[in-house]
Amino acid sequence: MALNHVLPRRSAPIERDRQQHLVSVPHKGEIVKRMGWAVTAAVATFVLAQSPVAQAAGPAGGWTAPSCTRVTGDGSVTFTADDGATVAPTTGTLKSVSYTHGLVALDTPNTLLATHNSELQRSTDAGCTWTRIATLDSGSTWLTAAPGGRAYAWEKSGRYLARVDGGNVTKLTSPTGDIIGVGTDKARPGHLRLAGSDGQLFDSTDAGASWKPVGKLAFGEEASVYSVTFDPTDLNHAVAGGMATGGAVTTDGGATWIPSTGLSATPGGNANLFSAVLSPADPSVVYALGIDLVEAAPSSGAEGRHLYRSTDGGRTYTRIVDDTRDTELTNSTLLAPSPVDPNVLYFEYGTYFQGYGTDLYRYDARTGKVTKSHNAFDGISAIAFNPAQPKVMYLGLEEVRVD
């Protein structure tokens, strides 16, 4: 099986994989990060100027923009209203080693949840104040929001699974030992789907109390699957990414899977597809991160890493961003599509090595251009958007130190 051979661009040889099983050798110093302070810039005010698209969205379920200019908390979450050019300072300084993998805005007005290592934190004032509400039985958890002010906490490539209702955390029994994706149904509270690392989907109609397998394996027997992402408007629509098998999409709940095309420039060539995200504004638009394994052959001297975009729900992909010095990509690059504009994708690259900090990128499909802002954080583990003012972007932060 072809491997992802890479050449370090910076002379730090350890890779951050954010709990993914990756086919790769070390790349770009991703796990050795450092943040010397909690914020990149103290700002007096935020001008929450919305784009025409955001203005058209209007109020969202009682949500408002944050009224503060400083976030009260331990430094794990902050926010920006200008694509990262300035970020709100925090009262606390994030301590090493910290990851904020989970961050979601709920449909309860002005309420967000975040996971900072094993801590579950909540804000009820649109991100101005954060408090710890529970300790989870996992040190690394992601969050998926659900209707009715609910969320699910889950461990990527692990079995930890819990339902969060207000301040109550109910531990659930996972139907698989390696969770790689959780999706919830906006139209049916209590209905959710989950995927295992073999590509098997599971369905629950009682808020995770019981499960049943549905459909067939995304790539067949013995395939390794990195991720499965569900369409929150239609759980039957899901996009899978596999090791050397590229991508696949289902629109019938896994009964059939259609192989994706366009991930390799060589017809029939193998590819790794590490992750994919569906645009909340238009679920036919899918953004993905992968490697063209033909391009990344050991003798080529290339890494073959790209971002891709699909406009047919994940069936066909087109390359949109290459891994270069100007747009650094890793095997675990965070992808965050705009909730109101299917043409806009945010992604990030960060490292503490040599005090580099973090780049927050913005890609616009209308122009094909990428812009970026820079800050001193070690990295951004998660991004969420304010439902009433999508220009307000919440950032879950990292602090990683190797002495």
mmCIF file of all heavy atoms in Angstrom, residues 375-397:
data_model
loop_
_atom_site.group_PDB
_atom_site.id
_atom_site.type_symbol
_atom_site.label_atom_id
_atom_site.label_comp_id
_atom_site.label_asym_id
_atom_site.label_seq_id
_atom_site.Cartn_x
_atom_site.Cartn_y
_atom_site.Cartn_z
ATOM 1 N N ASN A 375 -1.720 34.940 14.099
ATOM 2 C CA ASN A 375 -1.746 35.208 15.530
ATOM 3 C C ASN A 375 -0.694 34.357 16.223
ATOM 4 O O ASN A 375 -0.024 33.545 15.580
ATOM 5 C CB ASN A 375 -3.146 34.949 16.110
ATOM 6 C CG ASN A 375 -3.617 33.525 15.860
ATOM 7 O OD1 ASN A 375 -3.022 32.575 16.362
ATOM 8 N ND2 ASN A 375 -4.681 33.362 15.070
ATOM 9 N N ALA A 376 -0.547 34.549 17.537
ATOM 10 C CA ALA A 376 0.515 33.878 18.278
ATOM 11 C C ALA A 376 0.066 32.593 18.945
ATOM 12 O O ALA A 376 0.830 31.985 19.695
ATOM 13 C CB ALA A 376 1.090 34.826 19.340
ATOM 14 N N PHE A 377 -1.155 32.152 18.691
ATOM 15 C CA PHE A 377 -1.614 30.905 19.291
ATOM 16 C C PHE A 377 -0.814 29.717 18.758
ATOM 17 O O PHE A 377 -0.321 29.723 17.638
ATOM 18 C CB PHE A 377 -3.096 30.682 18.990
ATOM 19 C CG PHE A 377 -3.995 31.778 19.487
ATOM 20 C CD1 PHE A 377 -4.820 32.455 18.604
ATOM 21 C CD2 PHE A 377 -4.009 32.136 20.818
ATOM 22 C CE1 PHE A 377 -5.654 33.464 19.046
ATOM 23 C CE2 PHE A 377 -4.836 33.145 21.273
ATOM 24 C CZ PHE A 377 -5.665 33.822 20.387
ATOM 25 N N ASP A 378 -0.768 28.652 19.549
ATOM 26 C CA ASP A 378 -0.121 27.424 19.088
ATOM 27 C C ASP A 378 -0.911 26.766 17.968
ATOM 28 O O ASP A 378 -0.357 26.093 17.112
ATOM 29 C CB ASP A 378 0.011 26.432 20.242
ATOM 30 C CG ASP A 378 1.178 26.758 21.149
ATOM 31 O OD1 ASP A 378 1.775 27.818 20.985
ATOM 32 O OD2 ASP A 378 1.486 25.928 22.032
ATOM 33 N N GLY A 379 -2.212 26.897 18.025
ATOM 34 C CA GLY A 379 -3.062 26.301 17.008
ATOM 35 C C GLY A 379 -4.517 26.540 17.338
ATOM 36 O O GLY A 379 -4.868 26.961 18.444
ATOM 37 N N ILE A 380 -5.368 26.288 16.365
ATOM 38 C CA ILE A 380 -6.816 26.374 16.540
ATOM 39 C C ILE A 380 -7.367 24.975 16.313
ATOM 40 O O ILE A 380 -7.245 24.418 15.227
ATOM 41 C CB ILE A 380 -7.434 27.375 15.545
ATOM 42 C CG1 ILE A 380 -6.859 28.775 15.781
ATOM 43 C CG2 ILE A 380 -8.953 27.396 15.674
ATOM 44 C CD1 ILE A 380 -7.249 29.789 14.705
ATOM 45 N N SER A 381 -7.960 24.395 17.355
ATOM 46 C CA SER A 381 -8.467 23.031 17.283
ATOM 47 C C SER A 381 -9.897 22.952 16.797
ATOM 48 O O SER A 381 -10.333 21.902 16.321
ATOM 49 C CB SER A 381 -8.394 22.361 18.667
ATOM 50 O OG SER A 381 -7.080 22.294 19.136
ATOM 51 N N ALA A 382 -10.669 24.029 16.965
ATOM 52 C CA ALA A 382 -12.086 23.997 16.613
ATOM 53 C C ALA A 382 -12.565 25.412 16.292
ATOM 54 O O ALA A 382 -12.028 26.396 16.808
ATOM 55 C CB ALA A 382 -12.911 23.405 17.753
ATOM 56 N N ILE A 383 -13.580 25.488 15.451
ATOM 57 C CA ILE A 383 -14.194 26.766 15.072
ATOM 58 C C ILE A 383 -15.706 26.598 15.101
ATOM 59 O O ILE A 383 -16.239 25.588 14.646
ATOM 60 C CB ILE A 383 -13.737 27.217 13.668
ATOM 61 C CG1 ILE A 383 -12.250 27.587 13.678
ATOM 62 C CG2 ILE A 383 -14.572 28.392 13.168
ATOM 63 C CD1 ILE A 383 -11.689 27.938 12.306
ATOM 64 N N ALA A 384 -16.391 27.585 15.655
ATOM 65 C CA ALA A 384 -17.854 27.641 15.616
ATOM 66 C C ALA A 384 -18.257 29.065 15.257
ATOM 67 O O ALA A 384 -17.471 30.007 15.396
ATOM 68 C CB ALA A 384 -18.460 27.227 16.957
ATOM 69 N N PHE A 385 -19.499 29.218 14.801
ATOM 70 C CA PHE A 385 -19.974 30.512 14.344
ATOM 71 C C PHE A 385 -21.202 30.946 15.138
ATOM 72 O O PHE A 385 -22.033 30.119 15.514
ATOM 73 C CB PHE A 385 -20.326 30.461 12.852
ATOM 74 C CG PHE A 385 -19.161 30.155 11.958
ATOM 75 C CD1 PHE A 385 -18.800 28.848 11.679
ATOM 76 C CD2 PHE A 385 -18.408 31.177 11.398
ATOM 77 C CE1 PHE A 385 -17.733 28.550 10.854
ATOM 78 C CE2 PHE A 385 -17.326 30.898 10.566
ATOM 79 C CZ PHE A 385 -16.989 29.579 10.300
ATOM 80 N N ASN A 386 -21.305 32.242 15.381
ATOM 81 C CA ASN A 386 -22.473 32.795 16.054
ATOM 82 C C ASN A 386 -23.679 32.693 15.127
ATOM 83 O O ASN A 386 -23.634 33.206 14.007
ATOM 84 C CB ASN A 386 -22.211 34.253 16.434
ATOM 85 C CG ASN A 386 -23.331 34.871 17.226
ATOM 86 O OD1 ASN A 386 -24.429 35.071 16.715
ATOM 87 N ND2 ASN A 386 -23.057 35.198 18.475
ATOM 88 N N PRO A 387 -24.767 32.038 15.532
ATOM 89 C CA PRO A 387 -25.904 31.847 14.628
ATOM 90 C C PRO A 387 -26.582 33.129 14.184
ATOM 91 O O PRO A 387 -27.140 33.181 13.084
ATOM 92 C CB PRO A 387 -26.866 30.980 15.454
ATOM 93 C CG PRO A 387 -25.991 30.264 16.428
ATOM 94 C CD PRO A 387 -24.931 31.264 16.778
ATOM 95 N N ALA A 388 -26.558 34.172 15.006
ATOM 96 C CA ALA A 388 -27.209 35.427 14.639
ATOM 97 C C ALA A 388 -26.304 36.315 13.807
ATOM 98 O O ALA A 388 -26.762 37.021 12.909
ATOM 99 C CB ALA A 388 -27.653 36.185 15.900
ATOM 100 N N GLN A 389 -25.006 36.294 14.114
ATOM 101 C CA GLN A 389 -24.039 37.102 13.389
ATOM 102 C C GLN A 389 -22.872 36.203 12.987
ATOM 103 O O GLN A 389 -21.870 36.112 13.702
ATOM 104 C CB GLN A 389 -23.560 38.270 14.258
ATOM 105 C CG GLN A 389 -24.671 39.218 14.649
ATOM 106 C CD GLN A 389 -24.222 40.671 14.627
ATOM 107 O OE1 GLN A 389 -23.389 41.076 13.821
ATOM 108 N NE2 GLN A 389 -24.779 41.456 15.522
ATOM 109 N N PRO A 390 -22.993 35.524 11.859
ATOM 110 C CA PRO A 390 -21.971 34.546 11.460
ATOM 111 C C PRO A 390 -20.578 35.135 11.262
ATOM 112 O O PRO A 390 -19.609 34.374 11.163
ATOM 113 C CB PRO A 390 -22.530 33.990 10.145
ATOM 114 C CG PRO A 390 -24.001 34.228 10.231
ATOM 115 C CD PRO A 390 -24.148 35.527 10.948
ATOM 116 N N LYS A 391 -20.474 36.444 11.188
ATOM 117 C CA LYS A 391 -19.151 37.055 11.106
ATOM 118 C C LYS A 391 -18.364 36.833 12.397
ATOM 119 O O LYS A 391 -17.135 36.866 12.409
ATOM 120 C CB LYS A 391 -19.290 38.554 10.826
ATOM 121 C CG LYS A 391 -17.995 39.265 10.497
ATOM 122 C CD LYS A 391 -17.410 38.774 9.188
ATOM 123 C CE LYS A 391 -16.169 39.570 8.797
ATOM 124 N NZ LYS A 391 -15.544 39.024 7.570
ATOM 125 N N VAL A 392 -19.085 36.596 13.490
ATOM 126 C CA VAL A 392 -18.437 36.294 14.766
ATOM 127 C C VAL A 392 -18.057 34.824 14.778
ATOM 128 O O VAL A 392 -18.905 33.944 14.717
ATOM 129 C CB VAL A 392 -19.357 36.615 15.955
ATOM 130 C CG1 VAL A 392 -18.671 36.234 17.269
ATOM 131 C CG2 VAL A 392 -19.729 38.088 15.962
ATOM 132 N N MET A 393 -16.765 34.569 14.863
ATOM 133 C CA MET A 393 -16.216 33.223 14.787
ATOM 134 C C MET A 393 -15.537 32.900 16.117
ATOM 135 O O MET A 393 -14.671 33.648 16.585
ATOM 136 C CB MET A 393 -15.226 33.145 13.622
ATOM 137 C CG MET A 393 -14.651 31.800 13.345
ATOM 138 S SD MET A 393 -13.916 31.665 11.684
ATOM 139 C CE MET A 393 -13.046 33.217 11.516
ATOM 140 N N TYR A 394 -15.969 31.801 16.745
ATOM 141 C CA TYR A 394 -15.378 31.353 17.998
ATOM 142 C C TYR A 394 -14.229 30.394 17.697
ATOM 143 O O TYR A 394 -14.339 29.526 16.829
ATOM 144 C CB TYR A 394 -16.433 30.661 18.859
ATOM 145 C CG TYR A 394 -17.597 31.557 19.209
ATOM 146 C CD1 TYR A 394 -18.777 31.505 18.468
ATOM 147 C CD2 TYR A 394 -17.518 32.466 20.257
ATOM 148 C CE1 TYR A 394 -19.847 32.330 18.766
ATOM 149 C CE2 TYR A 394 -18.588 33.298 20.564
ATOM 150 C CZ TYR A 394 -19.753 33.232 19.814
ATOM 151 O OH TYR A 394 -20.808 34.062 20.117
ATOM 152 N N LEU A 395 -13.141 30.551 18.434
ATOM 153 C CA LEU A 395 -11.932 29.770 18.191
ATOM 154 C C LEU A 395 -11.589 28.942 19.417
ATOM 155 O O LEU A 395 -11.421 29.484 20.516
ATOM 156 C CB LEU A 395 -10.756 30.695 17.854
ATOM 157 C CG LEU A 395 -10.976 31.746 16.762
ATOM 158 C CD1 LEU A 395 -9.739 32.636 16.620
ATOM 159 C CD2 LEU A 395 -11.328 31.091 15.438
ATOM 160 N N GLY A 396 -11.492 27.624 19.248
ATOM 161 C CA GLY A 396 -10.988 26.747 20.300
ATOM 162 C C GLY A 396 -9.490 26.601 20.148
ATOM 163 O O GLY A 396 -8.998 26.193 19.090
ATOM 164 N N LEU A 397 -8.744 26.913 21.184
ATOM 165 C CA LEU A 397 -7.300 27.117 21.069
ATOM 166 C C LEU A 397 -6.480 25.971 21.636
ATOM 167 O O LEU A 397 -6.972 25.125 22.381
ATOM 168 C CB LEU A 397 -6.913 28.419 21.782
ATOM 169 C CG LEU A 397 -7.655 29.669 21.303
ATOM 170 C CD1 LEU A 397 -7.230 30.881 22.116
ATOM 171 C CD2 LEU A 397 -7.438 29.905 19.809
#
